[in-house]
Amino acid sequence: MTFSIIPAIDIKGGNCVRLQQGEFSKETIFSDLPELVAEKWVSQGADKMHIVDLDGASSGQQKNEVVIKKILKKYSNRVSIQVGGGIRDLDTIEKILDQGASFVVIGTAAVKNPGLLKDACAAFLGHIIVAIDAKNGKVATDGWSKLSGHDVIDLAKKYEDDGVEAILYTDISRDGMLSGINVSSTVKLAQTINIPVIASGGISGINDLKNIMVKESEGVTGVILGRALYEGKIDFKEAKSLIDDLA
């Protein structure tokens, strides 16, 4: 197993953006051509990418399908791409996988429609990742706009039993804030389950990256990088060389 650095491409209104703590009113547009952003990360050596339809996440159905389909068509034969946001039914999952995605990321639907997740894992075993977005140990849904009463670890154990491939764990309070990743909560989750955990939210620089990379043996197998990459706090090639050294 090799630790993965995964650039995030968050798409809203057709643009590549970053939000602060999931707030749609606090967006920064980094590019109006997400396909060029994808090209940048692929050319710099990314072997995985994380694409989110933010409009889809809040509305419950894909809104940036055309852009995402373009990226999948051009790069899915070169890198592993995971796609999330607004995925609420089996047909959409099948369509995204058919378009070239390696994984589909299910968030809100996993909480609100557990039967769908079970069916998805049965139909597309090995291709389903669940995103657990949390604040103070409780799971958020609907593009992070609603806080549920579900406990992170309890849900993660249930998802593991359902057969998901990995858990993508985000501490909402840190996401887009460059305030440092929540290493302790991420590791605690990873130690509790036997499937991989991908960390997300708050990476501000190389030191944060180093702090989470060394937790690979605890079950943290990768990290999503967003604002830190886009604002130049982390150089992707430098980060990639750290991983190569670790391997």
Side-chain angles (χ1 to χ4, degrees):
M1 193 182 294
T2 304
F3 192 89
S4 298
I5 299 175
I6 310 168
I9 301 177
D10 291 356
I11 303 173
K12 181 173 178 284
N15 299 316
C16 175
V17 308
R18 295 303 298 169
L19 306 181
Q20 290 186 0
Q21 297 180 324
E23 293 283 345
F24 274 55
S25 61
K26 299 177 182 176
E27 74 167 61
T28 306
I29 296 175
F30 286 101
S31 173
D32 59 1
L33 290 170
E35 309 98 285
L36 292 184
V37 176
E39 172 63 39
K40 177 182 179 180
W41 302 135
V42 173
S43 68
Q44 290 190 15
D47 49 23
K48 294 183 180 179
M49 285 192 294
H50 177 72
I51 301 177
V52 181
D53 183 337
L54 290 175
D55 298 303
S58 62
S59 69
Q61 60 184 46
Q62 281 193 296
K63 297 291 187 181
N64 293 282
E65 181 184 356
V66 173
V67 178
I68 293 171
K69 188 176 178 180
K70 278 184 187 175
I71 295 173
L72 287 170
K73 185 176 181 180
K74 192 165 184 182
Y75 302 109
S76 62
N77 63 336
R78 297 166 64 184
V79 297
S80 169
I81 301 175
Q82 54 197 49
V83 176
I87 298 166
R88 304 284 193 270
D89 57 70
L90 291 176
D91 287 344
T92 304
I93 295 169
E94 184 173 24
K95 178 181 66 180
I96 292 170
L97 291 172
D98 285 347
Q99 288 171 353
S102 298
F103 302 99
V104 167
V105 182
I106 301 176
T108 296
V111 178
K112 293 189 167 183
N113 187 356
L116 170 66
L117 181 66
K118 200 177 277 282
D119 290 346
C121 289
F124 310 107
L125 188 63
H127 297 283
I128 304 298
I129 293 173
V130 169
I132 295 184
D133 306 320
K135 193 171 185 178
N136 301 322
K138 298 299 179 184
V139 176
T141 62
D142 299 276
W144 300 356
S145 63
K146 298 176 184 175
L147 207 58
S148 74
H150 293 287
D151 178 78
V152 169
I153 288 176
D154 289 346
L155 262 190
K157 286 179 177 177
K158 180 183 174 303
Y159 296 154
E160 180 179 17
D161 291 342
D162 287 339
V164 305
E165 185 69 12
I167 299 289
L168 169 57
Y169 176 69
T170 304
D171 183 334
I172 299 173
S173 64
R174 301 190 183 218
D175 191 73
M177 300 303 291
L178 299 173
S179 57
I181 201 161
N182 191 335
V183 176
S184 59
S185 292
T186 306
V187 170
K188 182 181 178 185
L189 175 61
Q191 289 173 334
T192 310
I193 56 179
N194 293 311
I195 54 176
V197 171
I198 303 165
S200 175
I203 290 278
S204 62
I206 285 292
N207 284 337
D208 284 334
L209 191 54
K210 289 177 178 176
N211 288 340
I212 198 69
M213 278 169 50
V214 297
K215 302 301 181 181
E216 184 181 7
S217 61
E218 315 255 11
V220 183
T221 62
V223 65
I224 306 288
L225 292 186
R227 187 174 288 271
L229 273 184
Y230 289 96
E231 293 191 352
K233 310 282 185 186
I234 290 179
D235 177 270
F236 187 79
K237 287 183 178 178
E238 180 187 354
K240 198 78 169 61
S241 68
L242 278 179
I243 297 299
D244 294 341
D245 291 345
L246 191 68

